[in-house]
Amino acid sequence: MATPAEAAAMRRAIALSAHGLGTTAPNPPVGCVILDVSGEIVGQGYHQRKGESHAETIALAQAGERARGSTAVVTLEPCNHAGRTPPCRQALLDAGIARVLIALLDPTSREEGGAARLHAAGVDVEVGVLADEARLVLGPWMTTLRTRRPVLWWTCVLGPHGLAEADLSHLLARMDAVLYADGRVREAVPGSHGEGILHLPGRLDPAAPHAALRALFDGGARTVLFRGGRSQADPFLRAGMIDHITVVLPVEVGGLATGELLPTGYSIDALTRESDAVVVHASRRPASTEDTEEMT
């Protein structure tokens, strides 16, 4: 069972992993913390982009020789295959790590997986540490593995005024791509994923939601923001493909804005007060069977 110091380290690793939101796709955002034998943090890191160092190798490089006999705390199971970077499982073994705490197993693990290889090599491995908290960051990426489409956010404003791009900066920072109502597609934060990582189509047909989201997924996007009004969002809503909604409810001159706050099937997650508006964050309630099937 994880000690209080190890649990605290996992929460730090989860927070670090969030730095990779909006930049790691199609890879997952992962964080890692190294604790020496006294429980002191001697290394930490997060994965930023595909093709660049993984969280474990960054944390191990910081720890140096102090990694030997230490504990690695990582939000996702260390990879067990060589791609653009060597397998993290082997990097942990080479560094002499004695114990590894993992929040979530990697559904894309090949063969028996990094956790099993580490255990077979004599490393003390514990899985499931703060798994629910780690899903706050890794959840969207893991969902896309099942649905074969990006997780989709939709933003709308109840009132006559449009939502300025600057108002969405906090949301855009965690997105991979933006799909506009007229079909235009762009990287959410230009250049954030690195050159040649995402292969996004220049334009898609929002009236064909299955094909549009599959094309974005195939291009490497795992989180997408849809910008358009209710009528433009209807094809995605009818297909059950809008996972999260952000509604801006401004206070208009002469009274409050009117209109349907949320479509049927969505529940409020959080509300924030910003200047002269209330921002409502909502998510789709548990999906029916057809929403979890792979698109054909």
Side-chain angles (χ1 to χ4, degrees), residues 3-14:
T3 66
E6 290 171 341
M10 181 62 80
R11 288 194 170 96
R12 175 180 286 268
I14 292 168

Side-chain angles (χ1 to χ4, degrees), residues 70-143:
S70 294
T71 297
V73 181
V74 61
T75 59
L76 186 68
E77 180 182 19
C79 60
N80 192 39
H81 62 277
R84 293 193 176 195
T85 59
C88 293
R89 170 263 306 164
Q90 191 58 48
L92 292 167
L93 290 175
D94 292 344
I97 290 291
R99 176 165 159 80
V100 177
L101 279 73
I102 300 168
L104 296 167
L105 291 176
D106 185 353
T108 68
S109 284
R110 302 175 190 180
E111 300 173 353
E112 65 222 286
R117 288 286 186 90
L118 289 165
H119 180 72
V123 176
D124 180 21
V125 178
E126 184 173 343
V127 177
V129 179
L130 302 184
D132 288 343
E133 294 180 42
R135 284 192 187 92
L136 293 173
V137 179
L138 283 164
W141 177 81
M142 298 186 82
T143 295

Side-chain angles (χ1 to χ4, degrees), residues 219-281:
R222 297 296 179 263
T223 51
V224 173
L225 180 68
F226 180 71
R227 299 293 308 276
R230 174 59 190 266
S231 61
Q232 292 94 352
D234 269 344
F236 295 96
L237 287 167
R238 289 196 300 269
M241 290 183 161
I242 292 180
D243 303 288
H244 305 283
I245 301 175
T246 297
V247 179
V248 179
L249 184 63
V251 177
E252 303 294 347
V253 176
L256 294 172
T258 60
E260 181 185 46
L261 181 64
L262 293 173
T264 301
Y266 290 82
S267 300
I268 293 175
D269 295 325
L271 300 99
T272 57
R273 176 80 163 87
E274 297 182 8
S275 184
D276 58 351
V278 169
V279 180
V280 181
H281 306 278

Side-chain angles (χ1 to χ4, degrees), residues 130-273:
L130 302 184
D132 288 343
E133 294 180 42
R135 284 192 187 92
L136 293 173
V137 179
L138 283 164
W141 177 81
M142 298 186 82
T143 295
T144 66
L145 299 177
R146 183 184 73 249
T147 62
R148 311 304 294 175
R149 68 166 178 84
V151 173
L152 186 63
W153 272 257
W154 172 45
T155 60
C156 63
V157 178
L158 291 184
H161 303 301
L163 187 59
E165 194 75 13
D167 297 329
L168 292 176
S169 59
H170 65 290
L171 190 55
L172 285 169
R174 62 180 298 170
M175 297 291 114
D176 295 323
V178 180
L179 172 61
Y180 292 90
D182 62 3
R184 287 178 297 123
V185 177
R186 71 167 176 85
E187 189 177 13
V189 179
S192 59
H193 295 79
E195 185 176 355
I197 300 299
L198 297 184
H199 302 278
L200 302 175
R203 190 172 291 272
L204 292 167
D205 181 6
H210 289 82
L213 292 189
R214 187 55 183 263
L216 288 166
F217 179 86
D218 290 343
R222 297 296 179 263
T223 51
V224 173
L225 180 68
F226 180 71
R227 299 293 308 276
R230 174 59 190 266
S231 61
Q232 292 94 352
D234 269 344
F236 295 96
L237 287 167
R238 289 196 300 269
M241 290 183 161
I242 292 180
D243 303 288
H244 305 283
I245 301 175
T246 297
V247 179
V248 179
L249 184 63
V251 177
E252 303 294 347
V253 176
L256 294 172
T258 60
E260 181 185 46
L261 181 64
L262 293 173
T264 301
Y266 290 82
S267 300
I268 293 175
D269 295 325
L271 300 99
T272 57
R273 176 80 163 87

